[in-house]
Amino acid sequence: MFAFTKGHGSLRILGESAARATGASSRRCCAFILLILILTPRVDSSWWYIGALGARVICDNVPGLVNKQRQLCQKYPDVMQSISEGGKEWIRECQHQFRHHRWNCSTIERDHTVFGRVMQRTSICVGSREAAFVYAISSAGVVYAITRACSQGELRTCNCDPHKRGKARDERGEFDWGGCSDNINYGIKFAKAFIDAKERTVKDARALVNLHNNRCGRMSVKRFMKLECKCHGVSGSCTLRTCWLAMSDFRKTGDYLRKKYNGAIEVTVNQDGAGFTVAHKDFRNATKNDLVYFENSPDYCLMDKAAGSLGTAGRVCNKSSRGTDGCEVMCCGRGYDTTRVKRITKCECKFKWCCAVECKDCEEAVDIHTCKAPKRAEWLDQT
């Protein structure tokens, strides 16, 4: 590579030194990533690692990917970056939806699987109600991120929806398709191919339930597509309209799936493994839009390595609430500690012409309530 004539010995030596330095740097980088992967708990839904590693993802070194996922990863590195962004999106949304609950999508130190022991449990047993929500919201996040990247011109394999051309009608009358309609069908198609690939390698209850909840999540994004229009005409009148389809804010999808979590249906898988039925005859049958599960959840009160619970010790609770964020519920009857802290807030704000708002810094004392840790003997029973 660095071949020079005899008269250029010094250049040859410098070239070889640079090559060795570059090679050493590359090896250190790969070794660092491999170390992360080795220290990280292995889970079934290993594509979640992509969200954790982001742009550093090396397809060959992401553990647990099946061949089809690895091939897609290698062939579409730009889409993998979108999946990384989608990972951040659904993690934030999950933590928002369950911020006042015992199970709050929390992560643990050095945990690149995002959901730590909870996700390790769902990757083994899969059947819990929380697992159903996670599989749905993660699939939705990937669809949302890929579709958005298409519209923003970040992917070489897709752009705006090519089918939204010509004229169409809605309740307000006729309009022209224009602008950039979000290519939701591409997002759904790629997410289905990539995320479902692993579940399709086996035929069991776990895979069947995962596929169902994955689909529920994907389609929930499409449910909230909205028509946006720009008016044309004299003085801005809407005699002519140009319209396009756009995704709604991801919070709508999160709110929708949170409600589906509340109404999730317990099922039992048929003996042939081709379908499932409701576990209790008095319950209604599950539709394609319902989240389903087949295993009871732990109460998440105590740290339980086997069940995947991080416990609620140290969680902030609301002393005056009788809901799930209240100290009685959150702390599981163990009681809570109260700490008085000083907080700086903006106060006595005044509008100053033109155009600023000036405020003073005011100090106030507030009480912070946190759940007590369980007694040691009680904790040891669970670990």
Side-chain angles (χ1 to χ4, degrees):
M1 180 177 180
F2 294 95
F4 291 91
T5 63
K6 186 175 180 180
H8 295 83
S10 59
L11 290 177
R12 179 170 55 83
I13 293 171
L14 287 173
E16 290 173 348
S17 299
R20 284 195 298 270
T22 301
S25 176
S26 177
R27 285 192 297 272
R28 284 195 298 269
C29 180
C30 288
F32 176 71
I33 294 173
L34 283 172
L35 182 62
I36 290 175
L37 296 171
I38 290 169
L39 293 176
T40 301
R42 187 179 293 267
V43 293
D44 260 356
S45 289
S46 301
W47 67 268
W48 289 334
Y49 280 94
I50 294 172
L53 294 175
R56 295 177 301 168
V57 62
I58 299 178
C59 302
D60 287 340
N61 291 325
V62 176
L65 295 184
V66 297
N67 286 336
K68 184 173 181 180
Q69 289 176 323
R70 206 174 302 282
Q71 290 168 4
L72 289 171
C73 181
Q74 293 169 345
K75 188 175 181 179
Y76 303 102
D78 53 347
V79 183
M80 294 304 108
Q81 183 61 38
S82 296
I83 290 178
S84 170
E85 295 303 316
K88 298 171 187 175
E89 194 104 39
W90 68 261
I91 293 165
R92 285 193 298 266
E93 187 58 30
C94 183
Q95 292 180 341
H96 169 80
Q97 294 294 336
F98 289 90
R99 65 196 183 281
H100 297 315
H101 292 256
R102 291 174 182 171
W103 181 77
N104 64 343
C105 304
S106 58
T107 61
I108 60 176
E109 186 179 0
R110 289 192 307 142
D111 173 32
H112 293 272
T113 66
V114 177
F115 286 87
R117 297 294 184 180
V118 173
M119 285 298 94
Q120 191 171 25
R121 174 177 188 269
T122 54
S123 67
I124 296 171
C125 303
V126 174
S128 71
R129 188 189 294 257
E130 288 73 33
F133 179 85
V134 166
Y135 276 87
I137 194 71
S138 60
S139 295
V142 169
V143 170
Y144 193 88
I146 292 176
T147 303
R148 180 177 56 195
C150 285
S151 298
Q152 293 176 349
E154 297 173 356
L155 305 181
R156 57 185 173 81
T157 52
C158 71
N159 42 42
C160 305
D161 191 339
H163 299 103
K164 299 301 184 232
R165 297 288 183 267
K167 295 183 179 295
R169 296 185 64 86
D170 65 358
E171 66 277 0
R172 294 176 57 186
E174 191 175 75
F175 63 85
D176 293 320
W177 284 115
C180 179
S181 289
D182 284 333
N183 198 345
I184 186 71
N185 290 324
Y186 181 89
I188 290 174
K189 183 178 179 181
F190 196 101
K192 179 180 180 180
F194 185 78
I195 298 175
D196 285 1
K198 182 153 195 171
E199 312 303 334
R200 296 192 183 281
T201 61
V202 292
K203 292 185 178 180
D204 58 14
R206 176 193 64 79
L208 191 66
V209 167
N210 284 354
L211 286 170
H212 177 95
N213 293 325
N214 284 347
R215 183 192 182 280
C216 184
R218 288 194 299 268
M219 299 312 294
S220 65
V221 181
K222 192 171 186 177
R223 174 181 291 270
F224 296 104
M225 294 289 287
K226 58 185 179 180
L227 190 70
E228 295 185 349
C229 298
K230 182 177 181 180
C231 291
H232 309 280
V234 180
S235 300
S237 64
C238 271
T239 53
L240 296 173
R241 287 185 301 151
T242 299
C243 302
W244 57 93
L245 278 178
M247 295 185 297
S248 297
D249 187 84
F250 194 62
R251 179 56 42 80
K252 285 192 174 182
T253 297
D255 291 342
Y256 171 79
L257 291 176
R258 181 66 174 82
K259 291 178 181 177
K260 290 298 180 181
Y261 165 88
N262 291 338
I265 297 174
E266 185 177 357
V267 298
T268 57
V269 178
N270 300 338
Q271 290 183 349
D272 60 4
F276 45 73
T277 56
V278 290
H280 305 285
K281 294 181 180 180
D282 295 336
F283 292 175
R284 65 178 178 84
N285 290 326
T287 69
K288 62 184 180 181
N289 296 319
D290 290 312
L291 296 183
V292 297
Y293 68 99
F294 61 86
E295 182 182 77
N296 292 330
S297 302
D299 60 18
Y300 297 107
C301 287
L302 303 176
M303 178 174 284
D304 186 343
K305 294 180 179 179
S309 173
L310 299 179
T312 61
R315 288 282 301 279
V316 175
C317 60
N318 185 345
K319 181 182 177 181
S320 60
S321 173
R322 293 185 178 274
T324 56
D325 63 332
C327 291
E328 183 63 29
V329 176
M330 181 69 73
C331 303
C332 308
R334 297 192 305 266
Y336 55 89
D337 297 315
T338 300
T339 305
R340 175 151 290 193
V341 299
K342 292 181 180 180
R343 184 168 63 186
I344 305 298
T345 59
K346 297 295 182 182
C347 63
E348 299 182 24
C349 297
K350 295 181 180 179
F351 177 76
K352 185 178 181 180
W353 184 266
C354 171
C355 302
V357 176
E358 291 184 350
C359 300
K360 292 183 179 179
D361 290 333
C362 293
E363 185 179 279
E364 62 176 347
V366 295
D367 290 333
I368 302 297
H369 310 290
T370 55
C371 295
K372 287 181 178 292
K375 295 179 181 178
R376 181 170 176 78
E378 183 183 14
W379 180 79
L380 287 174
D381 288 341
Q382 300 294 323
T383 57

